[in-house]
Amino acid sequence: MTERSATAPRPRVDAAERILRAAIRRIVTSGAAALTMHEVSEEAGVSKGLIHYHFHDKETLLARMVEWMTRHLVAREHAALASSVPRHAIDDLWNWLEAELERGQIRVLLELAEWRGPLVQTAIRESANARRDASAASIEQLFSLLGLRPRIPARLLADVVVAFVDGLAIAIAIDHEKNARAAFDVFWLSLLSLAE
């Protein structure tokens, strides 16, 4: 280890990202309707002025938050099966989903789908398309890893998978004791039965 790398400071998360992460934590805890810029500023450790500098208003903050969450959610989904092997593919996909359910960001996206502002609505539509594309890619990769070919196009199955994931996120929020893994296994066994 060189002297420089041993003493180099860790990269700091920039203020805009700290604000986004703080806003997400506040919504996971209290909901979007209850979100205030004051709470976000306290959670992020920044001034309200800095929030307005980066995001102008609450609508812009929420729209950028949808984009940020979606970008990271899709990247994590792509990574879930990137180095998977057939024997562990279903478990790898479950591990990704379990971590997403724990984060609570899917619930935040669902809650923000009800937001009436045009910036948020546009971001939500783009998020839905990105999530559908990621799901289609995961379906194709999973079927390929297992040496199967779906009888129904992956794009059509992707709509069903995203709806299932969203429903599971809501069910977990309502009942923390719900056996999400059992539901996941039954769901994927059903989908895999659609193979040729």
Side-chain angles (χ1 to χ4, degrees):
M1 183 179 266
T2 66
E3 181 179 323
R4 184 173 191 271
S5 64
T7 61
R10 293 188 322 172
R12 290 184 51 186
V13 174
D14 73 350
E17 186 167 330
R18 275 199 336 264
I19 293 165
L20 289 170
R21 289 176 186 234
I24 292 165
R25 284 191 303 272
R26 295 304 311 156
I27 292 177
V28 167
T29 303
S30 305
L35 184 72
T36 67
M37 296 299 215
H38 177 75
E39 288 177 334
V40 174
S41 71
E42 285 187 347
E43 181 85 19
V46 299
S47 69
K48 286 196 301 189
L50 189 59
I51 294 173
H52 288 288
Y53 170 78
H54 284 287
F55 300 104
H56 182 63
D57 58 15
K58 185 175 178 178
E59 168 95 7
T60 305
L61 172 63
L62 294 175
R64 297 300 80 82
M65 191 171 59
V66 168
E67 294 165 1
W68 188 89
M69 284 187 296
T70 302
R71 186 172 52 255
H72 287 78
L73 171 69
V74 165
R76 290 187 298 264
E77 182 172 357
H78 284 306
L81 294 174
S83 59
S84 192
V85 296
R87 182 176 178 175
H88 299 290
I90 293 289
D91 288 332
D92 291 341
L93 199 56
W94 165 250
N95 290 334
W96 162 76
L97 180 55
E98 183 179 40
E100 295 305 330
L101 294 173
E102 180 73 24
R103 272 184 195 89
Q105 293 179 11
I106 294 170
R107 273 190 4 260
V108 172
L109 290 171
L110 294 172
E111 185 174 346
L112 291 175
E114 299 299 318
W115 200 266
R116 296 288 175 234
L119 291 177
V120 174
Q121 284 298 304
T122 298
I124 286 292
R125 274 192 299 279
E126 291 170 1
S127 173
N129 290 332
R131 292 182 64 210
R132 186 179 309 112
D133 291 345
S135 181
S138 292
I139 291 164
E140 289 171 354
Q141 191 166 3
L142 180 64
F143 273 76
S144 177
L145 278 168
L146 299 176
L148 303 171
R149 199 173 80 192
R151 282 184 268 174
I152 298 172
R155 299 262 326 141
L156 289 176
L157 291 176
D159 287 328
V160 175
V161 172
V162 171
F164 170 77
V165 167
D166 291 351
L168 200 55
I170 292 168
I172 294 301
I174 294 169
D175 179 6
H176 298 292
E177 301 301 316
K178 180 162 186 63
N179 188 342
R181 178 62 196 252
F184 172 87
D185 286 342
V186 169
F187 177 77
W188 275 101
L189 281 173
S190 300
L191 282 187
L192 292 173
S193 72
L194 298 173
E196 292 181 341

